[in-house]
Amino acid sequence: MTEDTPAPRRRGRPSREAASEGPDARTRILEAARTEFAERGYDKTSIRGIAKAAGVDAALVHHYYGTKDEVFAAAVEVTFEPALVIPAVLAGPPEALGERLARFFLSVWEDPATRSPLLAVLRSAVTHEAAANVLRDFVLRRLLERIAAELDVADPTFRAELAASHMIGIAMLRYVIRAEPLASADPEDIIAMVAPTLQRYVGDG
Amino acid sequence: MTEDTPAPRRRGRPSREAASEGPDARTRILEAARTEFAERGYDKTSIRGIAKAAGVDAALVHHYYGTKDEVFAAAVEVTFEPALVIPAVLAGPPEALGERLARFFLSVWEDPATRSPLLAVLRSAVTHEAAANVLRDFVLRRLLERIAAELDVADPTFRAELAASHMIGIAMLRYVIRAEPLASADPEDIIAMVAPTLQRYVGDG
């Protein structure tokens, strides 16, 4: 976007110059992907559309992120940056891990900037097999395995998944279906009720 | 469908004869509605299409069930017959209510005959505001209030909703996203883990 932005390219493979757009172009592509998937849904989003929205060549999108499914996975992951956040959630007193998980999950959904792409992910996963597969094989598996690796319990992945299922169900009822009283409940009241459940799953032997 | 089935009617309001098709026509309409919503989704299903599939006049569908939203609600409810089943689930030792809820919920989802319309409901609710509203205002509210009325806890509806959110999230991960190990887990193993959670919500003071 600054002095080293190359002239716009309209076709062909990315040259070394295009690749040298570096982190700026990468970030623009991810932001564009996030917006496109959120606004148009999985099915109607294309690499070409993402490239156009980011102001880059479609080949550069492929170059950085691969297939549409891989772009989708990257766009989902950038939404809540698990690589940064999950270690922070996992660190800290083990007896309060359930509370930290509940608090992190709700904070991501309460923020309109992250809620909207997450809603798009949920919609896509429920209606499109391909999006469900990406969510399962890239996003969720990595997330669950990262959490499970830290748990000192039998069947850690199963337990991490049960915790995740509760939080996904809360997102469904609170943000998608908007069922009361859950939809208007104070996040702290939800955390107070749900944290012990999550703690039972991730903290018990 | 037998000796008292009137001649097919193609237009106009239902006559007294048409209404006298009675339970047969009512049942056929509901079955047709369930199939149409499951196969075509909320958006593409019409009263006219349901009437055609049931072999009755569209006016008769209106006559028995009202608007499309009301037909949708009736079709969802007939899927798991809460009026019959919920009292049976609520009856029995209070200390095992969580287990009965988990067992009932999983049995409905494990049966392919009921799973398919429920998946359609979930898909419709996630993608169509109108379907989400019906699920919230008719199905879920009635279901939660029926359960909450039996609970001897503070905030019974909130607690019933938290229990429901967990089960809906399990349905999402097990049947929609099919994340392992939850997707292949023995239902009894899920019930063993989840029943104490539900019991905490619906049974504690």
Side-chain angles (χ1 to χ4, degrees):
Chain A
M1 296 288 271
T2 54
E3 63 284 359
D4 59 2
T5 305
R9 293 168 51 82
R10 286 285 153 247
R11 57 183 60 247
R13 293 171 160 279
S15 68
R16 215 171 293 167
E17 288 80 359
S20 77
E21 288 188 58
D24 269 0
R26 274 177 191 259
T27 306
R28 282 210 312 283
I29 292 167
L30 263 197
E31 292 293 332
R34 192 164 82 160
T35 307
E36 290 284 301
F37 281 117
E39 289 179 358
R40 308 169 72 86
Y42 178 86
D43 210 34
K44 289 183 185 143
T45 297
S46 65
I47 294 272
R48 181 186 292 263
I50 292 168
K52 196 177 166 196
V56 302
D57 195 280
L60 195 66
V61 179
H62 279 301
H63 173 75
Y64 283 139
Y65 296 105
T67 64
K68 174 175 163 180
D69 283 356
E70 288 165 328
V71 180
F72 181 72
V76 174
E77 290 213 325
V78 80
T79 297
F80 58 101
E81 301 186 284
L84 295 176
V85 175
I86 293 298
V89 171
L90 291 173
E95 69 275 12
L97 176 56
E99 186 188 328
R100 290 197 300 281
L101 285 170
R103 195 173 292 281
F104 164 61
F105 183 82
L106 274 176
S107 72
V108 165
W109 278 91
E110 285 295 298
D111 180 349
T114 42
R115 183 194 309 170
S116 147
L118 284 174
L119 276 176
V121 168
L122 207 56
R123 289 203 172 95
S124 299
V126 168
T127 47
H128 293 284
E129 185 80 18
N133 293 349
V134 174
L135 190 63
R136 180 186 65 222
D137 295 338
F138 292 82
V139 183
L140 202 63
R141 179 180 296 172
R142 262 187 280 192
L143 194 63
L144 291 178
E145 282 176 0
R146 207 172 286 163
I147 294 172
E150 302 294 321
L151 304 184
D152 188 20
V153 294
D155 306 319
T157 313
F158 183 49
R159 282 162 169 269
E161 233 181 332
L162 286 173
S165 77
H166 197 359
M167 295 190 283
I168 287 171
I170 287 173
M172 282 286 297
L173 284 189
R174 180 171 168 92
Y175 305 105
V176 179
I177 298 171
R178 292 200 291 274
E180 295 295 352
L182 189 56
S184 308
D186 186 318
E188 289 300 326
D189 290 339
I190 301 173
I191 292 168
M193 285 296 287
V194 170
T197 298
L198 303 188
Q199 187 65 31
R200 221 192 101 240
Y201 289 144
V202 299
D204 279 353
Chain B
M1 296 291 273
T2 54
E3 63 285 359
D4 59 2
T5 305
R9 292 169 52 83
R10 289 282 153 250
R11 58 182 62 249
R13 293 171 160 279
S15 68
R16 216 171 293 168
E17 289 79 357
S20 77
E21 289 188 57
D24 268 359
R26 272 177 193 259
T27 307
R28 282 210 311 283
I29 292 168
L30 262 198
E31 292 292 334
R34 192 165 82 159
T35 307
E36 290 284 302
F37 281 118
E39 289 178 359
R40 309 170 70 87
Y42 179 85
D43 209 35
K44 290 183 183 142
T45 297
S46 65
I47 294 272
R48 180 187 291 264
I50 292 168
K52 197 178 166 195
V56 302
D57 196 279
L60 194 64
V61 179
H62 280 301
H63 174 74
Y64 282 139
Y65 296 105
T67 65
K68 173 176 164 180
D69 283 357
E70 288 165 328
V71 180
F72 180 72
V76 174
E77 291 213 326
V78 80
T79 297
F80 58 103
E81 301 186 284
L84 295 176
V85 175
I86 293 298
V89 171
L90 291 173
E95 68 275 14
L97 177 56
E99 186 188 328
R100 290 197 300 279
L101 285 171
R103 195 174 292 282
F104 163 62
F105 182 82
L106 274 176
S107 72
V108 166
W109 277 91
E110 286 294 299
D111 180 350
T114 41
R115 184 193 308 171
S116 146
L118 284 174
L119 276 176
V121 168
L122 208 55
R123 289 202 172 96
S124 299
V126 168
T127 47
H128 293 285
E129 184 81 18
N133 294 348
V134 175
L135 190 63
R136 179 186 66 222
D137 295 338
F138 291 82
V139 184
L140 202 63
R141 179 180 295 172
R142 262 187 281 189
L143 193 62
L144 291 178
E145 281 176 0
R146 208 172 288 162
I147 294 173
E150 301 295 321
L151 303 184
D152 188 20
V153 295
D155 305 318
T157 313
F158 183 48
R159 282 161 169 269
E161 233 180 334
L162 286 173
S165 77
H166 197 358
M167 297 190 282
I168 287 171
I170 287 173
M172 283 285 297
L173 284 188
R174 179 172 168 91
Y175 306 104
V176 179
I177 297 172
R178 293 200 291 276
E180 295 295 353
L182 189 57
S184 309
D186 185 319
E188 289 300 325
D189 291 338
I190 301 173
I191 292 168
M193 286 295 289
V194 170
T197 297
L198 303 189
Q199 188 63 32
R200 222 192 101 239
Y201 290 143
V202 299
D204 281 351

